[in-house]
Amino acid sequence: VAGATIVASTTNRKETIVSTQQMLSQITRDQGFIAALDQSGGSTPGALRQYGIPDGAYSRDSEMLQLMHQFRVRIMTSPTFTSARIIGAILFEATMDGLVQGKSVPEFLWKDRGIVPFLKVDKGLEAVSSGVRLMKPNPGLEPLLERARSMGIFGTKMRSVIDANVAAGISEVVRQQFDVGAQITAAGMMPILEPEVSIGIPDKASAEMTLRDEIRARLDTLPAESQIMIKLTIPDVPDFYRSLIEHPRVARVVALSGGYSRVQACQKLAANPGLIASFSRALIDDLRFASSDEQFNRDLESAIKEIYAASI
């Protein structure tokens, strides 16, 4: 029995290594985009309202999250939600812990859909200071990473927000993102750093310049074998992040929709070769609870095709 256990354990480790290598190859090389299915507690009510489920349909957070999980399951089990156009998906923790057709969500995504699973790991934002909103402290990060990795999660994502071109604030955002990213890399996972620049600020282009220069300086200090991903607001200047996309420490640069409509986001994205989508609202805006499955799948396919075309 002991010998059989050792053999099984060795086999599982080999399978995990092979899967990780396959996921890395897909994320770094394949055409497509990353679906962001990671709305958290604060953004879930708005997403449900957009979908057609009013606030009065639930009375507790647990009921709200269950409704959101059902929405996500409907998306993930749609025939159009596959690796043909979607190379990865970012999950909220409660979604990671849920089931799809009797399987864990990460297992279903990878084994049934060929989609690489990521996990949102930040715990929300601090109040604005020096023009930015840093991530809240996250003392439970290490056990979360261990649990996520054991469930087949490939990488993580964490978000900060930049509301003004204040050099000291942007520098602190980048420092925090890279520090947490180093923890995630040490846990054997791929970090997606997300320092979002708010799309409505008057000095957006200047903030993007400050951010790009800070990120580039930090990238140059990473070990030669290290790689990260970066998720950024679509820039005002086309092809502005070329130096980041081509940096040897960067596995991929992806873009958030950031409040742009899908049409706007896709138009802007298409002007940035090498930048691929990681959209949330722009992906699900047309989906409705009351739609038949046929209509739901058609609307989702239309969105996926549009975002895919802009990403390639």
Side-chain angles (χ1 to χ4, degrees):
V1 174
T5 301
I6 292 170
V7 170
S9 178
T10 302
T11 301
N12 289 339
R13 282 199 298 272
K14 288 180 178 177
E15 289 177 351
T16 299
I17 291 169
V18 170
S19 287
T20 300
Q21 291 171 340
Q22 291 172 337
M23 290 180 184
L24 178 61
S25 177
Q26 178 164 309
I27 286 298
T28 56
R29 300 177 185 175
D30 286 7
Q31 290 190 330
F33 69 94
I34 296 175
L37 305 179
D38 60 337
Q39 294 91 348
S40 57
S43 57
T44 297
L48 286 175
R49 285 193 295 271
Q50 180 70 21
Y51 180 45
I53 297 179
D55 296 353
Y58 50 88
S59 56
R60 296 188 295 273
D61 283 353
S62 59
E63 294 173 347
M64 175 187 73
L65 292 175
Q66 182 59 31
L67 288 169
M68 195 67 199
H69 183 68
Q70 291 168 4
F71 181 19
R72 289 170 176 150
V73 168
R74 197 177 183 190
I75 292 170
M76 290 184 285
T77 55
S78 172
T80 193
F81 198 83
T82 72
S83 59
R85 295 187 179 91
I86 301 168
I87 60 173
I90 304 171
L91 308 174
F92 181 52
E93 186 177 349
T95 305
M96 177 185 74
D97 291 333
L99 297 175
V100 182
Q101 297 180 352
K103 298 178 181 179
S104 74
V105 171
E107 180 185 10
F108 174 83
L109 283 173
W110 180 238
K111 293 187 176 179
D112 290 53
R113 289 293 189 257
I115 293 172
V116 177
F118 291 81
L119 177 68
K120 167 186 158 65
V121 295
D122 68 80
K123 298 302 179 184
L125 301 171
E126 300 273 23
V128 177
S129 178
S130 298
V132 303
R133 286 173 278 173
L134 296 170
M135 294 181 287
K136 290 181 177 178
N138 190 358
L141 178 60
E142 288 190 9
L144 175 60
L145 294 176
E146 183 177 349
R147 186 163 65 85
R149 192 178 180 195
S150 73
M151 295 179 69
I153 296 289
F154 171 73
T156 67
K157 187 214 80 166
M158 61 276 189
R159 170 177 174 260
S160 311
V161 175
I162 296 166
D163 288 324
N165 182 31
V166 179
I170 293 175
S171 178
E172 184 63 12
V173 160
V174 174
R175 181 206 60 77
Q176 185 189 45
Q177 285 279 342
F178 273 81
D179 285 352
V180 178
Q183 283 185 266
I184 292 159
T185 299
M189 302 176 77
M190 173 68 75
I192 302 177
L193 315 186
E194 185 185 9
E196 174 185 346
V197 177
S198 298
I199 65 171
I201 61 175
D203 50 357
K204 178 174 179 284
S206 298
E208 288 169 343
M209 184 174 294
T210 304
L211 175 63
R212 183 193 61 185
D213 294 347
E214 284 285 341
I215 291 174
R216 199 160 50 195
R218 286 275 178 175
L219 286 172
D220 291 339
T221 69
L222 293 180
E225 70 282 0
S226 181
Q227 278 201 316
I228 63 168
M229 295 173 64
I230 310 171
K231 182 169 179 174
L232 299 167
T233 308
I234 305 171
D236 280 4
V237 178
D239 213 24
F240 184 73
Y241 290 125
R242 171 60 49 190
S243 62
L244 304 184
I245 292 169
E246 295 179 347
H247 198 286
R249 308 291 181 271
V250 177
R252 205 95 190 223
V253 182
V254 303
L256 57 109
S257 50
Y260 292 123
S261 69
R262 185 166 66 246
V263 171
Q264 290 176 308
C266 287
Q267 287 174 344
K268 288 178 174 291
L269 182 64
N272 289 270
L275 189 64
I276 68 170
S278 177
F279 292 173
S280 175
R281 278 172 292 183
L283 174 64
I284 66 174
D285 264 357
D286 295 339
L287 304 181
R288 296 294 179 268
F289 175 74
S291 295
S292 66
D293 287 344
E294 291 77 12
Q295 184 63 53
F296 182 94
N297 292 335
R298 281 197 298 270
D299 291 339
L300 180 58
E301 182 175 25
S302 177
I304 288 173
K305 284 182 174 179
E306 186 177 355
I307 296 168
Y308 175 81
S311 295
I312 65 170

